[in-house]
Amino acid sequence: MKKMNKFFAAAVMLAVAVSATAAAKPKASTADSSKLKIVTTIFPEYDWTKQILGDKAKDADLTLLLDNGVDLHSYQPTVQDIAKISNADIFIYVGGESDEWVEDVLRSAQNKHLVSVNLLEVLGDRVKAEEVVEGMEAEHHHDEEEHHHHHDGEEHHHDDDDEEEEEMDEHVWLSLRNAQFICNAICETLCAKDSANAAAYRANCAAYTKKLADLDAAYSTMTAAAKRRTVLFGDRFPFRYLTDDYGLTYYAAFTGCSAESEASFKTIAFLSQKMDELDLQHVMQIESGKGKIARTIIQNSKNKKAKILTIDSMQSTTARDIKKGATYLSIMQKNLEVLKTALN
């Protein structure tokens, strides 16, 4: 995945400056100034917080930044987004490479008592490095133009600091076990900021994490009894945390954070061969998938009647979906049924 370039970094700093100026101006109304202001980047964080707030949600100002279908990897904050973060009491974000812009925003925040919750920091050793499994399309990290400017005979010295850092798999929310851990961290942050309602937050969190644990148990039971132990994705693969939780293996066209969209013939051929070798009846894709790669894999396999299954990584959940009743638990329940079909 591409790292934030210098132009975007400059844009973020400009936006911080503009938002700081705007925030300094008197507000027309202070009717909601007493509300606890919470800003979240992605849908799972938003829904977890909402569930922990419970009946107290009406007394909080809870914001979801990525609410229009743009996923974490391509999101760029607007001036308005940065202003919301700058004046928030609590800011919850993933904390991986996609969130490199956050550091500058937090450093310039207007609310000096802002508390941030970084999911990767909360999980610590539970965070996994992104991996490239057999047959997966390797992403191109180096700019070809940079190589064209290297002349023959020119010496290049690379210090250890210049080596590319290992990229962490950001899709931590797709593990129900991680979700329980993160919810407890969010709960304690809410309690610290609003001690008057701490008992209610802890009770809500306990009830909600019990539901997460029950669904985790249902996944364990289903996968233990499944006929197959492997899933195949004709798409990006953001589900490593989920498959690792239940001892499943996988093959995929791209890593979860990849910006690639066109699979090579070699990748297609490998995945088609694996499909035949393992007698798989389904090719999977994520909710934003167009189906082109999945269909090509099927066309090049022996089983032309294989079906395409779509599993939701919650990277494209919109405000409209939330209004229709989408929740983290409901989506993970649907994913359980999809996975059950794929493995049987």
Side-chain angles (χ1 to χ4, degrees):
M1 187 179 67
K2 294 181 179 178
K3 292 181 179 291
M4 182 175 64
N5 59 41
K6 293 181 180 178
F7 294 106
F8 180 53
V12 168
M13 292 307 296
L14 176 61
V16 169
V18 172
S19 66
T21 302
K25 295 179 180 179
K27 294 182 179 180
S29 171
T30 58
D32 296 327
S33 61
S34 63
K35 285 191 173 185
L36 189 64
K37 298 179 182 63
I38 309 163
V39 177
T40 64
T41 54
I42 62 173
F43 168 72
E45 300 161 351
Y46 172 89
D47 192 56
W48 293 332
T49 305
K50 184 178 178 182
Q51 301 302 325
I52 297 168
L53 287 170
D55 292 340
K56 305 299 180 183
K58 64 181 182 298
D59 299 321
D61 183 2
L62 179 59
T63 299
L64 170 63
L65 293 184
L66 280 69
D67 64 353
N68 60 357
V70 175
D71 73 27
L72 180 68
H73 310 301
S74 55
Y75 167 72
Q76 295 185 358
T78 65
V79 172
Q80 291 78 11
D81 291 342
I82 293 173
K84 288 178 182 177
I85 297 168
S86 182
N87 291 284
D89 297 301
I90 299 172
F91 176 51
I92 306 172
Y93 65 108
V94 176
E97 186 176 301
S98 298
D99 284 340
E100 285 185 337
W101 55 271
V102 169
E103 186 176 341
D104 289 328
V105 175
L106 293 180
R107 190 183 299 116
S108 305
Q110 291 299 295
N111 182 1
K112 299 307 178 184
H113 300 290
L114 166 65
V115 175
S116 61
V117 179
N118 179 321
L119 302 196
L120 297 194
E121 288 184 357
V122 166
L123 291 171
D125 292 342
R126 293 169 180 257
V127 178
K128 303 175 187 290
E130 193 172 77
E131 66 177 355
V132 177
V133 299
E134 183 184 9
M136 187 177 280
E137 194 93 6
E139 189 169 12
H140 306 292
H141 291 279
H142 303 291
D143 189 349
E144 291 181 6
E145 184 177 348
E146 178 183 343
H147 291 289
H148 289 319
H149 284 86
H150 290 199
H151 301 289
D152 292 339
E154 184 180 351
E155 292 186 10
H156 301 283
H157 301 283
H158 300 282
D159 297 327
D160 291 340
D161 292 340
D162 293 332
E163 292 181 4
E164 188 172 343
E165 293 182 5
E166 189 175 47
E167 187 173 347
M168 296 296 103
D169 190 326
E170 300 173 348
H171 308 91
V172 293
W173 63 87
L174 291 169
S175 162
L176 288 157
R177 298 169 190 179
N178 283 349
Q180 295 171 63
F181 201 82
I182 294 167
C183 282
N184 282 312
I186 293 173
C187 177
E188 290 309 308
T189 302
L190 287 171
C191 292
K193 276 290 185 183
D194 182 17
S195 58
N197 291 307
Y201 297 149
R202 290 194 175 103
N204 292 340
C205 185
Y208 184 65
T209 53
K210 173 64 166 55
K211 293 178 181 179
L212 293 172
D214 289 345
L215 187 54
D216 173 36
Y219 268 85
S220 294
T221 299
M222 184 279 290
T223 52
K227 295 179 181 178
R228 296 178 175 83
R229 307 293 301 170
T230 302
V231 289
L232 188 145
F233 273 65
D235 206 335
R236 290 187 288 158
F237 184 77
F239 285 94
R240 183 188 173 193
Y241 289 96
L242 185 145
T243 54
D244 280 5
D245 279 351
Y246 309 111
L248 303 177
T249 58
Y250 70 91
Y251 295 97
F254 315 111
T255 64
C257 294
S258 176
E260 305 289 341
S261 59
E262 295 292 332
S264 67
F265 175 77
K266 182 179 179 181
T267 297
I268 296 293
F270 175 85
L271 293 174
S272 297
Q273 182 181 350
K274 276 297 174 185
M275 192 174 169
D276 294 336
E277 178 185 317
L278 299 172
D279 190 29
L280 300 180
Q281 305 300 307
H282 302 89
V283 178
M284 304 185 76
Q285 65 178 11
I286 62 174
E287 71 281 3
S288 60
K290 305 300 183 183
K292 179 181 177 181
I293 297 173
R295 287 192 297 272
T296 305
I297 291 169
I298 293 172
Q299 290 166 5
N300 285 276
S301 71
K302 295 178 182 178
N303 184 6
K304 310 299 183 187
K305 294 183 180 181
K307 304 296 183 183
I308 299 173
L309 296 176
T310 300
I311 189 166
D312 197 336
S313 66
M314 288 178 266
Q315 295 181 94
S316 303
T317 307
T318 65
R320 181 178 297 181
D321 296 324
I322 295 171
K323 287 182 179 179
K324 290 181 178 179
T327 67
Y328 177 83
L329 274 174
S330 69
I331 292 173
M332 289 300 284
Q333 181 64 53
K334 290 178 182 176
N335 284 346
L336 172 61
E337 298 306 315
V338 173
L339 191 60
K340 182 177 181 180
T341 299
L343 296 176
N344 291 282

